[in-house]
Amino acid sequence: MRNRSIFVGSALLLALGSAIVLADVRPNGSVNVELQTSAGNIVLELDGNRAPRSVANFLKYVKSGHYNGTVFHRVIDGFMIQGGGLDRDLREKETLPPVENEAGNGLKNDKYSVAMARSGDPNSATSQFFINVADNGFLNREQSQDGYGYAVFGRVVSGQQVVDQIAKSPTRVQPNPLYPAMLLEDVPVTPIVVKAVRVVSENGK
């Protein structure tokens, strides 16, 4: 049975430690962000009211160009698609310090919601995110095994068919380029590349 935890690589997290910092700007209202991928475009509506730390953190990576050239490196049909942290060579990109877990904000890991990926440390989310391709209630704080859950901070409002297409990508297991003894599971055979990410509207404007 596949591992249905949303874990990020450990190397950078260990280097960063467990410090938590807030982003400089805590957005109000909604922010729409477009992911231009090799499979098509996906528009996310980010909820800056209910997940201000996660949204501000995500927008920092967007505006710095961090996501450009990254890939959806873990894809499990019927579960989720994960990206935001590895380049085309599956090497981890440098990240900012992690943000506080906001999984208690009332937003749920429903189909087409977008949430922060993390390690076993509940407050370890940095740049990696995932889009649920099913209703994954067991990832919500109320139902999670660790009592923390995974913080949802937005939803897909356009490009659901692209998400579904990515979810059905053939995958394989391959060695981690930095740690060959460690295996990366559910890696798309054909890379799904995030070409660019941009903010398209804020507060409905």
Side-chain angles (χ1 to χ4, degrees):
M1 182 176 179
R2 282 170 166 166
N3 181 356
R4 296 206 168 195
S5 298
I6 316 296
F7 283 173
V8 300
S10 59
L12 288 175
L13 290 173
L14 289 173
L16 290 167
S18 59
I20 299 171
V21 298
L22 300 183
D24 296 330
V25 179
R26 298 180 65 175
N28 295 316
S30 64
V31 180
N32 282 22
V33 172
E34 182 182 61
L35 280 64
Q36 300 171 0
T37 84
S38 56
N41 294 347
I42 302 167
V43 178
L44 307 177
E45 181 183 69
L46 311 182
D47 193 331
N49 287 328
R50 299 175 80 174
R53 295 180 179 88
S54 300
V55 170
N57 174 70
F58 187 84
L59 290 176
K60 273 192 169 184
Y61 287 108
V62 169
K63 293 175 181 179
S64 72
H66 172 94
Y67 291 126
N68 302 347
T70 60
V71 295
F72 282 97
H73 64 274
R74 187 169 179 233
V75 168
I76 303 176
D77 192 18
F79 181 29
M80 60 88 225
I81 62 175
Q82 180 176 345
L86 278 62
D87 64 19
R88 289 193 62 152
D89 295 322
L90 301 178
R91 296 180 181 275
E92 291 184 64
K93 298 187 69 172
E94 185 176 354
T95 63
L96 301 170
V99 295
E100 184 176 349
N101 188 312
E102 294 182 301
N105 60 19
L107 298 174
K108 304 301 182 184
N109 283 276
D110 295 334
K111 188 173 184 179
Y112 300 128
S113 63
V114 57
M116 296 304 303
R118 61 172 175 83
S119 71
D121 176 353
N123 298 309
S124 60
T126 54
S127 67
Q128 291 193 36
F129 62 92
F130 62 95
I131 300 174
N132 289 290
V133 297
D135 292 340
N136 293 317
F138 67 96
L139 297 179
N140 297 330
R141 175 164 292 184
E142 301 80 5
Q143 298 171 250
S144 65
Q145 291 184 346
D146 64 7
Y148 291 94
Y150 292 80
V152 172
F153 63 99
R155 64 192 180 99
V156 177
V157 293
S158 179
Q160 290 91 342
Q161 73 281 3
V162 176
V163 173
D164 292 340
Q165 177 184 339
I166 294 172
K168 295 187 180 301
S169 301
T171 61
R172 63 185 176 188
V173 176
Q174 64 182 78
N176 184 311
L178 294 179
Y179 307 98
M182 297 174 60
L183 297 178
L184 295 174
E185 299 181 349
D186 305 301
V187 179
V189 174
T190 300
I192 309 297
V193 182
V194 177
K195 299 177 179 178
V197 182
R198 66 187 184 99
V199 175
V200 294
S201 68
E202 298 189 48
N203 298 312
K205 297 179 182 180

